[in-house]
Amino acid sequence: GAVVSQHPSRVICKSGTSVKIECRSLDFQATTMFWYRQFPKQSLMLMATSNEGSKATYEQGVEKDKFLINHASLTLSTLTVTSAHPEDSSFYICSARFDRGSYEQYFGPGTRLTVT
Amino acid sequence: GESVGLHLPTLSVQEGDNSIINCAYSNSASDYFIWYKQESGKGPQFIIDIRSNMDKRQGQRVTVLLNKTVKHLSLQIAATQPGDSAVYFCAENSGYSTLTFGKGTMLLVSP
């Protein structure tokens, strides 16, 4: 099956710093990647949709200047949390889709971000 | 039995029982639905999907039922095993090929 990786799996950063999370599709080219955020005991909330080579589309209420998304290649998307605050602490999960006509998404293992 | 916690409903079953996890979806125009399993600290794992032109689909030990009239989806797990313990989410295609996830149900399987 399709494999999606994320790096790092866990990261702790200080308030006010920025942290970058990478999402890679290992065995297929992803035309679209998605970034989700998940708080404890809650569901996945879509943050943004990212198509290779174009600007990401952010969901309502998600600050695009705070959560910078870059999808420079068909196998890599990055999410940068800028000026992190403790309330940004969460589980960030990416997914990838290789066919715009398909609904199926392959999920990464997630990145646990803790802001101190 | 089934109980509702602060955020996540929980279904507790004995090993070997059949489990039924329910999901109500919101968008009558949704045409594709997926069930995911999420273990603690991991990303969601695909279990089974169903398109809106079907009302039942079976996989290995799992069956998904779709009732479009009442916008209800269920996941049946036969002969539940301790390894099935996880949080289960339904997701619907909410337009533009994005997925909207349900609130999730925690399944606890006792040996």
Side-chain angles (χ1 to χ4, degrees):
Chain A
V3 179
V4 176
S5 70
Q6 281 183 241
H7 178 79
S9 57
R10 291 176 178 270
V11 58
I12 300 173
C13 71
K14 292 188 176 180
S15 189
T17 62
S18 296
V19 61
K20 181 187 286 188
I21 302 169
E22 292 185 349
C23 177
R24 292 182 186 272
S25 56
L26 299 184
D27 52 359
F28 67 99
Q29 293 186 324
T31 55
T32 307
M33 287 184 168
F34 303 87
W35 286 97
Y36 295 83
R37 180 167 52 183
Q38 185 179 33
F39 292 108
K41 296 191 177 181
Q42 294 189 27
S43 188
L44 281 75
M45 297 299 295
L46 179 65
M47 298 175 67
T49 302
S50 163
N51 290 303
E52 184 265 338
S54 61
K55 290 184 179 179
T57 302
Y58 290 81
E59 295 298 301
Q60 192 171 10
V62 178
E63 299 175 57
K64 61 181 174 63
D65 295 329
K66 179 170 181 63
F67 298 100
L68 301 179
I69 291 172
N70 184 285
H71 191 167
S73 79
L74 284 170
T75 59
L76 173 65
S77 176
T78 60
L79 168 68
T80 301
V81 183
T82 63
S83 188
H85 290 143
E87 55 263 35
D88 297 325
S89 298
S90 188
F91 194 50
Y92 291 87
I93 307 171
C94 74
S95 70
R97 188 178 69 201
F98 64 84
D99 180 355
R100 283 197 174 92
S102 169
Y103 299 140
E104 193 162 357
Q105 297 179 22
Y106 301 92
F107 284 83
T111 296
R112 172 75 60 195
L113 170 63
T114 303
V115 184
T116 60
Chain B
E2 185 172 330
S3 63
V4 177
L6 282 176
H7 295 292
L8 212 57
T10 300
L11 176 64
S12 298
V13 300
Q14 294 285 324
E15 182 178 1
D17 287 351
N18 295 330
S19 302
I20 300 176
I21 300 171
N22 297 304
C23 175
Y25 64 92
S26 56
N27 189 347
S28 56
S30 293
D31 59 358
Y32 179 69
F33 305 87
I34 311 176
W35 279 100
Y36 288 97
K37 172 186 180 183
Q38 186 180 28
E39 296 175 316
S40 181
K42 297 184 179 180
Q45 176 186 354
F46 174 91
I47 301 174
I48 192 168
D49 60 359
I50 189 168
R51 294 195 178 273
S52 61
N53 60 353
M54 303 172 70
D55 52 22
K56 180 179 180 179
R57 189 157 188 235
Q58 288 185 290
Q60 189 175 14
R61 276 201 312 120
V62 294
T63 300
V64 55
L65 299 178
L66 174 62
N67 185 330
K68 294 182 287 294
T69 303
V70 295
K71 292 189 284 188
H72 183 268
L73 197 65
S74 69
L75 176 70
Q76 300 177 3
I77 305 174
T80 315
Q81 303 167 0
D84 295 328
S85 294
V87 177
Y88 289 80
F89 293 98
C90 66
E92 61 182 300
N93 168 53
S94 51
Y96 305 103
S97 297
T98 60
L99 294 176
T100 299
F101 280 76
K103 294 183 178 179
T105 297
M106 178 175 287
L107 176 64
L108 297 175
V109 183
S110 306

